Amino acid sequence: MALVLTEEQVMLRESAAGLLADRAGVAQLRALRDAGDELGFSREVWQEIAAMGWPGIAIPEAYDGLGYGYTGLGLVLEQAGRHLSPTPLQSSVLVGATAVHALGTEAQKRTLLPALAAGELLVSLALQEGVQHAPEQTAMAAVPAADGYTLTGDKTLVLDALAADRFVVIARTSGSAGDTEGLTAFLVPADAAGLTVERRSLVDSRGVGALHFDGVQVPADAVMGEPGRAWAGLGRTLDIANIGLAAELLGVATEAFERTVAYLKERKQFGKVIGTFQGLQHRAAELFAELELARSIVLQALQAIDADDPELPKLASAAKAKLCEVAQRATNEGIQMHGGIGMTDEYEIGFFIKRARVAQHCFGDYNYHLDRFARLSGF
């Protein structure tokens, strides 16, 4: 499998870079943050993105998507990372639509995926319950009722929770926390009786929330797939989500690096441009080499999704772990090489380290995926 982009993919990347730079860049993120915007993104900009067809890039043509694959979506996510674009691309396109396709029944797919592809519907995954990513530890109860199920419990760190129209909720219909069997996925409307959505604040200023289910009643047709058998579809969803986040982190790290190199060519100290200092040159050169390696890992993982590669879980953890490491280094170096001014809110470099830290911990951090990669590799 050649780790190169086609002409069409290059055009898609350039198109994404142009629109996101103009309409969803750091300036817009700052404005939304300063205004205390609850959603964390502009619906007007989202409609412009939807008009480009990006929400349907990875959705099959049979469900009114473009069928262009996750490699194409990854290129858009990389540009979203470069520009710190506040959009539901991660929550609803990368995760939500993938969850519907991996877990839903055929009827659910035909109802939801066309609306997701058109950008008319936002769906978010409600999975995490504690401070750490541990999907098999799901304890939220789903108790059979006369005409469906009753959901009781809490979910945290739900992406774009206040904007979502529906949630894919992972709950336990059998077994106990720690079991992979017994997990069931449910489609729950955001306005369901007994469901409370509370806004939470993170350092990257994105929209996240906590969900409280107080005896929420859902009908039997809200079950996605077979009851108690959601683990396989959930695992594929999380693998794809982590590869997409790795693509975004690649964009964050690349932009932080390029901004830092540009600063090294401008800032003077002791009468010299600091970019001429050999120590800083060595650090920049090492980071450049790491970014090139990271780019290859991300592209290989994206292509593995589209090729249904059986090694996808291992590649997903390899990509996420590597990009967590590289993004942390790139953003740390960005702050350090900018010096004291890099710690101020006036300079934009600080926005990159904040987004990187949140994306690193979403759906498993460096240590989680490094351990998982070692287990899957038989170490």
Side-chain angles (χ1 to χ4, degrees), residues 197-223:
V197 182
E198 297 180 5
R199 184 187 181 192
R200 291 289 185 266
S201 178
L202 296 180
V203 295
D204 66 346
S205 307
R206 301 297 180 92
V208 297
L211 309 185
H212 176 65
F213 295 81
D214 184 11
V216 175
Q217 302 289 324
V218 294
D221 61 4
V223 175

Side-chain angles (χ1 to χ4, degrees), residues 19 23 42-54:
L19 176 62
R23 302 291 288 135
S42 165
R43 288 195 182 274
E44 179 185 352
V45 173
W46 177 241
Q47 289 307 311
E48 293 181 33
I49 290 174
M52 298 290 288
W54 297 347

Side-chain angles (χ1 to χ4, degrees), residues 35-252:
D37 189 274
E38 287 193 344
L39 297 185
F41 68 91
S42 165
R43 288 195 182 274
E44 179 185 352
V45 173
W46 177 241
Q47 289 307 311
E48 293 181 33
I49 290 174
M52 298 290 288
W54 297 347
I57 285 179
I59 294 176
E61 294 181 75
Y63 304 107
D64 295 344
L66 298 181
Y68 199 56
Y70 282 93
T71 302
L73 178 58
L75 296 175
V76 174
L77 290 170
E78 180 185 346
Q79 293 306 312
R82 288 198 68 143
H83 300 287
L84 298 184
S85 304
T87 73
L89 279 170
Q90 292 85 351
S91 62
S92 190
V93 179
L94 173 65
V95 184
T98 299
V100 170
H101 190 259
L103 292 162
T105 63
E106 186 61 27
Q108 290 166 342
K109 293 178 187 179
R110 295 203 173 278
T111 299
L112 300 177
L113 289 178
L116 282 163
E120 299 168 353
L121 180 73
L122 297 180
V123 175
S124 189
L125 175 65
L127 170 64
Q128 189 164 324
E129 296 179 2
V131 295
Q132 300 290 341
H133 175 71
E136 70 281 358
Q137 294 296 329
T138 296
M140 179 176 167
V143 180
D147 56 350
Y149 289 83
T150 301
L151 305 179
T152 304
D154 298 283
K155 296 291 184 180
T156 187
L157 293 178
V158 180
L159 305 180
D160 290 319
L162 275 74
D165 300 300
R166 288 182 175 82
F167 298 102
V168 174
V169 181
I170 306 300
R172 188 168 291 282
T173 50
S174 62
S176 56
D179 296 338
T180 56
E181 293 295 321
L183 295 178
T184 303
F186 296 88
L187 269 174
V188 181
D191 59 356
L195 172 58
T196 304
V197 182
E198 297 180 5
R199 184 187 181 192
R200 291 289 185 266
S201 178
L202 296 180
V203 295
D204 66 346
S205 307
R206 301 297 180 92
V208 297
L211 309 185
H212 176 65
F213 295 81
D214 184 11
V216 175
Q217 302 289 324
V218 294
D221 61 4
V223 175
M224 303 179 72
E226 186 178 349
R229 298 299 179 88
W231 182 253
L234 176 62
R236 178 172 174 80
T237 299
L238 292 175
D239 285 338
I240 292 173
N242 276 297
I243 293 171
L245 286 169
E248 184 193 354
L249 283 168
L250 175 62
V252 172

